[in-house]
Amino acid sequence: MKITNEILEGYLACNTKGHLKLAGEAGTKSDYEAMTETVSKASWEGALANLVARFGEGDVRRGVSVTVEALKQGKPLLADAALDDDVLSLRFAALKRTDGASKLGDHHYLPVLHNYSDQIGCQQKLLLAVFGLVLS
């Protein structure tokens, strides 16, 4: 089974939940969990629309697969980017280009995390760190 956003987020919330999700087990979603999932999806779409509008259509690639070739193109923003390989299947809200030397050339990308909540906690910071590590 591949490691997904859901598995990483589950593990950061509770080690046991992460292990169970990795094993393919699914529990029953509570009404609250279903509601927050719906709100989060709506917020995700709104946030991506705002990012695309802010950067301009010509400077954004949306729904891109994260590959070395795609990253070397150097677009300022890759929105709703997906990374799939033998072990991982991750979805990034966005990848923002920034200047600096890397294997790609004179730029690299920083992961952008969508968080529908007003607060950023340890879990979100750890998830960003994992996303950054995966990108490196």
Side-chain angles (χ1 to χ4, degrees):
M1 179 167 221
K2 292 184 178 187
I3 297 173
T4 64
N5 293 50
E6 187 178 7
I7 291 170
L8 285 175
E9 290 168 5
Y11 185 80
L12 291 174
C14 170
N15 294 353
T16 303
K17 185 174 183 178
H19 280 293
L20 290 173
K21 286 189 177 286
L22 187 59
E25 297 195 29
T28 305
K29 287 186 182 179
S30 67
D31 290 341
Y32 177 77
E33 188 176 7
M35 179 195 67
T36 57
E37 188 176 290
T38 302
V39 170
S40 180
K41 284 181 183 179
S43 175
W44 169 284
E45 289 302 323
L48 288 183
N50 287 341
L51 272 175
V52 170
R54 194 167 105 199
F55 278 82
E57 287 288 335
D59 290 333
V60 176
R61 284 193 60 200
R62 189 167 180 170
V64 66
S65 181
V66 178
T67 62
V68 174
E69 294 78 28
L71 297 177
K72 280 187 177 181
Q73 290 178 2
K75 286 284 189 182
L77 186 74
L78 304 176
D80 195 16
L83 183 138
D84 282 303
D85 65 13
D86 296 338
V87 178
L88 301 170
S89 182
L90 299 178
R91 187 173 175 197
F92 300 92
L95 298 174
K96 183 179 181 279
R97 181 187 174 190
T98 188
D99 293 332
S102 74
K103 294 177 183 177
L104 301 172
D106 63 348
H107 68 279
H108 57 275
Y109 284 89
L110 300 174
V112 176
L113 182 66
H114 171 259
N115 182 30
Y116 78 94
S117 173
D118 291 340
Q119 299 178 5
I120 297 173
C122 186
Q123 289 179 343
Q124 290 80 19
K125 291 176 185 178
L126 286 171
L127 194 55
L128 270 175
V130 170
F131 283 170
L133 182 63
V134 166
L135 281 175
S136 69

